């Protein structure tokens, strides 16, 4: 999961769940020599301005890596939870 953009001022992402889990597996299909270097499937979510209006659920499209012919899933439900940003000072 790759969040892009700026959250609402003073907010942070406290948790990300994908299809109700912290991690999710996707089966990829293609030629072995094309798949050997694929380590992950990227999902980008725009978080611009989020955080002030409670938790958010979005359907996110998965980016098909180069060389992958098909994937078991093309999108996933992503649940984001937010919290107040905390600053710690060392004394």
């Amino acid at each position: 999961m790759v969040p892009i953009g700026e959250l609402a001022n003073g907010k942070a992402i406290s948790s990300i769940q994908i299809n109700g889990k912290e991690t999710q597996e996707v089966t990829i299909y293609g030629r072995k020599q094309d798949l050997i270097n694929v380590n992950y499937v990227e999902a980008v979510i725009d978080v611009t301005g989020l955080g002030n209006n409670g938790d958010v659920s979005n359907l996110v499209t998965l980016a098909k890596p180069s060389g992958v012919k098909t994937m078991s899933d093309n999108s996933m439900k992503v649940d984001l939870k937010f919290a107040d940003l905390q600053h710690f000072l060392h004394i």
Side-chain angles (χ1 to χ4, degrees):
M1 179 62 48
V2 180
I4 61 168
E6 298 267 336
L7 291 170
N9 191 31
K11 295 295 180 177
I13 297 172
S14 62
S15 75
I16 299 174
Q17 295 243 320
I18 305 165
N19 289 340
K21 302 175 185 174
E22 288 188 21
T23 61
Q24 184 68 38
E25 292 183 6
V26 175
T27 304
I28 57 175
Y29 301 93
R31 297 182 318 162
K32 183 177 181 179
Q33 61 267 30
D34 293 333
L35 302 181
I36 197 85
N37 293 320
V38 177
N39 296 315
Y40 61 91
V41 174
E42 191 171 90
V44 176
I45 186 166
D46 186 359
V47 298
T48 303
L50 298 180
N52 280 335
N53 297 322
D55 301 339
V56 174
S57 292
N58 282 326
L59 191 62
V60 176
T61 300
L62 303 176
K64 187 167 58 170
S66 178
V68 172
K69 297 295 182 198
T70 59
M71 301 187 303
S72 60
D73 294 294
N74 293 313
S75 61
M76 296 189 174
K77 180 181 168 237
V78 176
D79 299 313
L80 298 175
K81 293 188 180 197
F82 303 96
D84 291 331
L85 186 62
Q86 298 179 5
H87 296 279
F88 298 96
L89 300 175
H90 294 280
I91 299 176

